Amino acid sequence: MIVAFSVSPSAAEEDGGVSEAVARAVKVVRDSGLPNSTNAMFTNIEGSWDEVMDVVKRAVEAAGEGSSRVGLVLKADIRPGYEGQLTAKVERVEKHLSGE
């Protein structure tokens, strides 16, 4: 399964940003060893249901340190029997764009 998620604590930084809290969450994801990528809006992670949900839970907890409330947006692509789709899905789109 692939999960795309975004986490944001209610306590923002002085400029209204949340990059420090998001960095704590992304560190949890990267330290998990599961395939992942981060962009301006979401962090994507691939693995089994239990693996991914455990990492998301720990990432939410890390982002929420020092905050009384955390918002979580999560989208999942559950496709049993498929692995490596974090990159394979993008490769298939790029192939179409290149005219192959």
Side-chain angles (χ1 to χ4, degrees), residues 11-33:
E13 297 162 16
E14 212 173 281
D15 65 355
V18 292
S19 61
E20 185 178 330
V22 170
R24 290 193 303 267
V26 171
K27 181 169 181 3
V28 169
V29 173
R30 291 183 179 173
D31 288 350
S32 75

Side-chain angles (χ1 to χ4, degrees), residues 13-86:
E13 297 162 16
E14 212 173 281
D15 65 355
V18 292
S19 61
E20 185 178 330
V22 170
R24 290 193 303 267
V26 171
K27 181 169 181 3
V28 169
V29 173
R30 291 183 179 173
D31 288 350
S32 75
L34 294 175
N36 66 84
S37 64
T38 299
N39 60 49
M41 297 294 293
F42 288 93
T43 294
N44 304 300
I45 184 168
E46 183 174 14
S48 72
W49 182 275
D50 291 337
E51 291 171 327
V52 169
M53 290 305 167
D54 174 62
V55 173
V56 170
K57 179 183 180 197
R58 291 186 291 116
V60 168
E61 290 168 348
E65 290 174 12
S67 183
S68 62
R69 188 179 211 169
V70 178
L72 171 67
V73 175
L74 186 142
K75 181 177 180 178
D77 179 4
I78 304 162
R79 194 173 184 194
Y82 286 81
E83 293 180 3
Q85 295 303 295
L86 193 63

